[in-house]
Amino acid sequence: MKILIVEDEAKTGDYLKQGLCEAGFVVDLARDGHDGLHLALTGDYDLLVLDVMLPGLDGWQLLQAIRQAGKEALVIFLTAKDEVADRVRGLELGADDYLVKPFAFSELLARIRTLLRRNKPKEAEVLHIADLELDPLRRRVTRSGQRIDLTAKEFVLLELLLRRQDEVLPRSLIASQVWDMNFDSDTNVIEVAIRRLRAKIDDNFEPKLIHTARGMGYVLEVAA
Ligand code: CA
């Protein structure tokens, strides 16, 4: 799942981005209102974390423009102001939640997960193939009932393979979806990640689920 943070305070922005990446989300960070709006309108985000006081456009204007453009991403406002009027204004404009600074990161993460669970039941469904299960919200993977520990990137990679099982996924697509960048030359990164994932979910189990489509990419399937 993809999150956009719009936050002009450099330290806070970096900290939030790192934390949410480690929690397994794909995260972009914009440092002013105009960049934030551009990314929000062009990117496909599940959730936006918006600071209110921003250079360029403020958080309110940003949310208004995003809603006017028909974008339905969930929105959490972050603000130092805790007046009731501000809270009401944010909710009237279509924000889904509101967090007053300073807040604990764990609180933000809990609110994000609650919103995603409430508003995106389809994306929150437990995914499975054969005896492998992945629970996107609880961040749990099991095979044959055994808990499997994955890194954040391995989790995102497996989630992508599961959502598009039986489909050959080109390395370039995996690179853009999992690493959020284009690896034109360095496909080694993907090979290494696939090898590690295989070691965890396939080596000790049958049937094998991750298959290499030579020269094309990878597919998750129960081979005939
Ligand atoms: Ca600010």
Side-chain angles (χ1 to χ4, degrees):
M1 293 194 222
K2 214 169 160 188
I3 295 180
L4 173 65
I5 301 165
V6 188
E7 167 62 82
D8 61 314
E9 246 171 68
K11 261 173 78 176
T12 308
D14 292 341
Y15 170 73
L16 292 178
K17 181 175 181 182
Q18 190 191 344
L20 291 174
C21 282
E22 283 169 6
F25 296 101
V26 174
V27 184
D28 287 333
L29 171 63
R31 299 192 190 274
D32 67 55
H34 290 296
D35 279 355
L37 181 60
H38 176 72
L39 281 172
L41 294 180
T42 53
D44 194 15
Y45 298 99
D46 299 291
L47 187 140
L48 313 178
V49 178
L50 302 181
D51 187 25
V52 171
M53 303 308 278
L54 290 166
L57 293 173
D58 69 25
W60 313 125
Q61 294 169 312
L62 190 53
L63 176 58
Q64 246 170 337
I66 291 163
R67 292 297 188 230
Q68 272 165 14
K71 289 277 178 183
E72 289 180 352
L74 296 162
V75 172
I76 296 181
F77 269 119
L78 304 180
T79 180
K81 296 180 179 176
D82 61 351
E83 286 95 353
V84 175
D86 278 347
R87 197 179 302 242
V88 169
R89 185 173 173 198
L91 296 173
E92 274 176 357
L93 284 171
D96 299 283
D97 207 346
Y98 196 103
L99 221 56
V100 176
K101 291 177 178 176
F103 55 85
F105 178 75
S106 57
E107 175 66 17
L108 175 64
L109 191 57
R111 301 271 190 109
I112 286 174
R113 288 191 168 146
T114 301
L115 277 180
L116 290 172
R117 186 160 34 218
R118 197 173 73 205
N119 289 16
K120 296 271 181 125
K122 221 174 106 240
E123 297 211 349
E125 269 170 24
V126 173
L127 305 166
H128 56 88
I129 183 171
D131 57 355
L132 174 75
E133 283 192 359
L134 178 148
D135 184 331
L137 284 168
R138 292 194 178 76
R139 317 300 302 170
R140 276 173 67 99
V141 174
T142 61
R143 181 141 192 206
S144 221
Q146 292 176 41
R147 178 76 181 265
I148 294 173
D149 288 319
L150 299 182
T151 65
K153 283 295 176 204
E154 288 165 354
F155 193 95
V156 175
L157 175 59
L158 181 60
E159 186 175 350
L160 172 68
L161 288 165
L162 267 163
R163 287 194 190 282
R164 301 183 61 170
Q165 55 186 269
D166 297 323
E167 194 182 328
V168 174
L169 301 182
R171 288 181 181 81
S172 55
L173 181 134
I174 294 173
S176 67
Q177 298 274 309
V178 179
W179 281 270
D180 205 23
M181 55 201 298
N182 299 313
F183 288 121
D184 289 330
S185 48
D186 194 7
T187 54
N188 192 39
V189 175
I190 296 163
E191 277 157 33
V192 169
I194 289 276
R195 196 184 313 138
R196 292 201 175 129
L197 187 57
R198 267 190 175 133
K200 291 182 180 180
I201 69 158
D202 267 350
D203 278 7
N204 298 322
F205 302 95
E206 293 294 339
K208 304 305 179 201
L209 298 174
I210 299 176
H211 304 274
T212 305
R214 294 248 167 268
M216 294 163 71
Y218 300 95
V219 58
L220 188 76
E221 65 181 359
V222 180

